Amino acid sequence: MGRRSSLLGRAEERGLLEGLLADVRRSESRSLVLRGEAGIGKTALLEYLIASASDMTVLRAVGVESDMELAYASLHQLCGPILDRLVRLPDPQREAVEIVFGVRAGPPPDRFLVGLGVLSLLSEVAEERPLLCVVDDAQWLDQASALTLAFEARRLLAERVGIVFAAREPGEALEHLPELQLRGLRSDDARALLGTAVPFILDERVRERVVAETRGNPLALLELPRGLTATELAVGFGLVDPQALPERIEESFARRLAALPQDARRLLLLAAAEPVGDPVLLWRAAAQLAIEPQAADHAANEGLLAIGERVIFRHPLVRSAVYRSATVEDRRAAHLALAQATDREIDPDRRAWHLAAATAGPDEGVAVELERSAARAQARGGMAAAAAFLQRAVALTQDPAQRPNRALAAAQAHLQAGAFDAALQLLASAETATLDELAHARVALLRGQIAFASSYGGQASALLLKAARRIEPLDPALARETYMDAWIAAFFAGQFASAGSLHEVSRAAPSAPQPSSAPRPSDLLLGGLCVVVIDGRAAAAPKLRRATHAFGEGELDVQTGYVGDG
């Protein structure tokens, strides 16, 4: 209760949060995004909300910048305490959730089923007690978690569930959810808070300057004056740019870190590099570095870190300050200790990620581990995570002949994840190596696919047509797929196609080598579409009917998107 009573100002915001909890208790689901700059009080309001929900089950997650590439990492952090209830879900939902959380192997699950599974899981918990889900630093959620949690927030209706996010900039996934924009404290509250941080009487003009320059930002009011004398405050306090406020707060935390004993700083660095907040894992890693338990007391006494059931930083900017102020060598040592402390069987992907962060130069063994993690991420539907693993694997590859193949695989994953600039950079990197003809053709294909996916512009069809012709003698099946891509790109571009018009693609595609066995439905469709353009609808009708029948009888391959026979 002390935390709740010490929260200065924010009466309107506290009332809104209390109303949200009251609605949840009445079986009216609610969601909310707290939005505001770093230090504005989002975390403090979340703590107030949690303290006000003592009669509820509370699940927490914190987005961590270094964890953004791991698919479903934040969702697993949130749902970890309730995974024992998975057995109560319908089989399709349970299997989908188990696959994305790495509990079982299987093909990439439908994201809709994952969303439904998590929705059922939350509803199951809420049947016993009202449930509050709190997600801090949501701007750093991994993409898969952000999309899934937004799905839950939009579909909860009469369940006793509340979901509250806090974010600097929520991102596209959380758009259209109810939002509360947080601004600085009112002047009277800001002056009162500043008075708790400065142990002497400030000159009125200096006090007003501090309040004005911090714009009522609570964390800035508490942290920036720390350790400064009255003279320093009077003559040296000034923010050149309001946008630099988070950096200035981080600098304040960094000054406090510098005064701590070495073991306390190393323990804080381990906690900053370990986003799950697992105290058992933290102490296992600390043992690897021979850090004594007393180190935690120094961090706690300074008000920077609390270690209980979870490892919690006082504020996300503390984590950032700890990690950024550490030397490269110390960061690598921390990641290596965390990798050694992470169970290879239970969490191989996070272990691989820590190993990669601990590795200074090329290391084929780590690169192979990252490739395996990428395959597992793809199996869970986490293309952004797969792309990140593969890109790091490229950087750690020792064998020059292997690097372009990994670069192409990484570019393909970035394309599928929608990161087109990163995909193009990887293609440029691959082209600096000596490539065989098939690799050159794959580069051309990826460039065409990126052009189409990023803009639907007139260049895509020409690039894809050129790639299809190049692939023909190397991989006829892939060539036909590429002709189909070129036809679709030309159709979208219409008269804006700079080259590779619909007529040009429709004339070229039939010349591709035909399959020796029965044609696939996609082959039949391509043939029919080309005939539509060249000879008209009447001539194409039989072919299109045959293609339609084949698609109706076939089974969709969720990995390729093509329909197979039978």
Side-chain angles (χ1 to χ4, degrees):
M1 292 298 292
R3 175 68 177 170
R4 295 174 63 184
S5 60
S6 66
L7 190 61
L8 278 170
R10 303 299 189 199
E12 182 179 345
E13 292 86 348
R14 284 181 289 168
L16 190 149
L17 294 177
E18 288 167 359
L20 180 147
L21 294 178
D23 288 343
V24 171
R25 293 184 181 105
R26 290 193 298 266
S27 299
E28 298 176 19
S29 299
R30 290 289 180 265
S31 60
L32 181 68
V33 178
L34 299 178
R35 179 175 186 164
E37 66 183 21
I40 202 65
K42 302 183 298 295
T43 300
L45 282 169
L46 290 183
E47 293 297 336
Y48 175 86
L49 180 68
I50 291 169
S52 302
S54 58
D55 60 327
M56 297 184 175
T57 299
V58 178
L59 300 177
R60 304 181 65 162
V62 179
V64 179
E65 191 171 9
S66 62
D67 219 27
M68 289 179 70
E69 310 297 354
L70 298 177
Y72 295 104
S74 297
L75 187 66
H76 190 276
Q77 188 185 144
L78 185 79
C79 297
I82 58 172
L83 290 185
D84 58 325
R85 301 167 188 262
L86 281 175
V87 294
R88 305 183 190 178
L89 301 188
D91 287 347
Q93 296 179 21
R94 175 177 51 79
E95 291 171 5
V97 175
E98 286 178 342
I99 288 171
V100 300
F101 285 164
V103 177
R104 65 183 295 164
D110 185 290
R111 286 192 174 182
F112 184 69
L113 276 179
V114 175
L116 286 179
V118 174
L119 190 64
S120 298
L121 192 61
L122 299 182
S123 300
E124 179 73 31
V125 175
E127 285 187 4
E128 297 178 6
R129 297 177 74 195
L131 173 63
L132 175 65
C133 300
V134 174
V135 183
D136 203 357
D137 267 345
Q139 74 274 2
W140 288 332
L141 290 173
D142 62 275
Q143 184 184 38
S145 293
L147 291 171
T148 304
L149 288 171
F151 176 94
E152 315 308 324
R154 286 193 291 266
R155 282 162 178 79
L156 288 165
L157 294 173
E159 297 83 359
R160 298 189 296 173
V161 179
I163 304 181
V164 180
F165 304 89
R168 298 181 196 175
E169 292 294 334
E172 292 183 9
L174 302 183
E175 285 183 354
H176 310 304
L177 293 179
E179 183 177 289
L180 175 61
Q181 177 74 52
L182 296 183
R183 307 196 184 279
L185 295 176
R186 292 179 299 182
S187 296
D188 288 347
D189 292 325
R191 293 186 194 102
L193 186 61
L194 179 61
T196 68
V198 179
F200 45 78
I201 298 175
L202 279 175
D203 177 87
E204 182 178 351
R205 289 171 299 177
V206 172
R207 183 187 64 193
E208 293 307 309
R209 181 183 178 190
V210 172
V211 170
E213 290 184 343
T214 59
R215 292 169 293 143
N217 183 296
L219 192 62
L221 288 163
L222 290 172
E223 288 299 326
L224 294 186
R226 186 184 290 267
L228 299 179
T229 66
T231 301
E232 288 169 330
L233 277 171
V235 301
F237 196 97
L239 298 175
V240 177
D241 180 358
Q243 300 302 318
L245 190 58
E247 287 77 11
R248 288 291 300 271
I249 298 173
E250 277 193 27
E251 289 172 9
S252 172
F253 284 131
R255 289 196 300 269
R256 294 167 64 181
L257 292 169
L260 291 174
Q262 182 183 25
D263 268 8
R265 294 198 304 273
R266 292 198 299 162
L267 183 67
L268 283 164
L269 179 56
L270 282 174
E274 194 285 295
V276 177
D278 180 355
V280 176
L281 178 60
L282 176 66
W283 285 119
R284 281 207 304 264
Q288 296 285 339
L289 298 178
I291 296 174
E292 296 295 331
Q294 294 89 330
D297 296 335
H298 294 287
N301 292 338
E302 191 62 24
L304 299 175
L305 187 74
I307 303 177
E309 293 184 4
R310 294 187 60 188
V311 180
I312 300 175
F313 281 93
R314 175 195 171 187
H315 190 276
L317 285 177
V318 178
R319 181 193 293 272
S320 179
V322 168
Y323 197 80
R324 293 185 187 184
S325 63
T327 66
V328 172
E329 292 76 13
D330 284 344
R331 289 182 200 170
R332 288 177 183 148
H335 282 291
L336 181 59
L338 287 165
Q340 293 168 338
T342 301
D343 191 294
R344 182 192 297 266
E345 299 298 325
I346 295 175
D347 202 348
D349 299 336
R350 201 176 300 277
R351 178 180 177 278
W353 193 251
H354 282 307
L355 280 176
T359 304
D363 187 312
E364 188 62 24
V366 178
V368 170
E369 289 290 332
L370 289 168
E371 281 190 309
R372 292 171 181 161
S373 291
R376 285 189 290 267
Q378 284 179 311
R380 296 193 295 270
M383 292 311 305
F389 283 126
L390 289 169
Q391 184 165 355
R392 184 62 179 148
V394 173
L396 298 182
T397 300
Q398 285 181 316
D399 184 358
Q402 181 72 355
R403 187 174 292 112
N405 292 327
R406 285 181 174 150
L408 289 174
Q412 178 73 51
H414 275 295
L415 165 61
Q416 292 176 298
F420 305 126
D421 289 341
L424 289 171
Q425 290 172 6
L426 284 159
L427 289 182
S429 172
E431 287 180 308
T432 62
T434 302
L435 303 179
D436 60 24
E437 186 58 26
L438 181 57
H440 275 297
R442 288 178 62 197
V443 169
L445 171 58
L446 283 168
R447 286 196 182 280
Q449 291 174 331
I450 293 167
F452 180 58
S454 59
S455 67
Y456 294 101
Q459 295 182 339
S461 58
L463 290 170
L464 289 166
L465 178 58
K466 181 179 178 181
R469 286 169 169 159
R470 193 166 192 170
I471 295 169
E472 272 191 28
L474 306 169
D475 189 335
L478 179 59
R480 292 191 298 275
E481 294 172 12
T482 307
Y483 275 121
M484 174 63 83
D485 290 343
W487 196 99
I488 295 171
F491 177 81
F492 273 98
Q495 62 180 341
F496 298 104
S498 56
S501 67
L502 203 54
H503 276 81
E504 189 175 353
V505 174
S506 297
R507 290 191 188 96
S511 66
Q514 297 303 303
S516 55
S517 58
R520 298 174 301 177
S522 55
D523 297 325
L524 297 173
L525 178 60
L526 175 62
L529 292 175
C530 291
V531 172
V532 168
V533 175
I534 301 301
D535 298 321
R537 296 180 182 178
K543 291 181 177 291
L544 292 175
R545 277 195 293 268
R546 185 182 174 198
T548 302
H549 178 75
F551 274 102
E553 294 296 321
E555 183 175 334
L556 184 64
D557 185 319
V558 295
Q559 290 187 324
T560 67
Y562 286 91
V563 175
D565 295 335

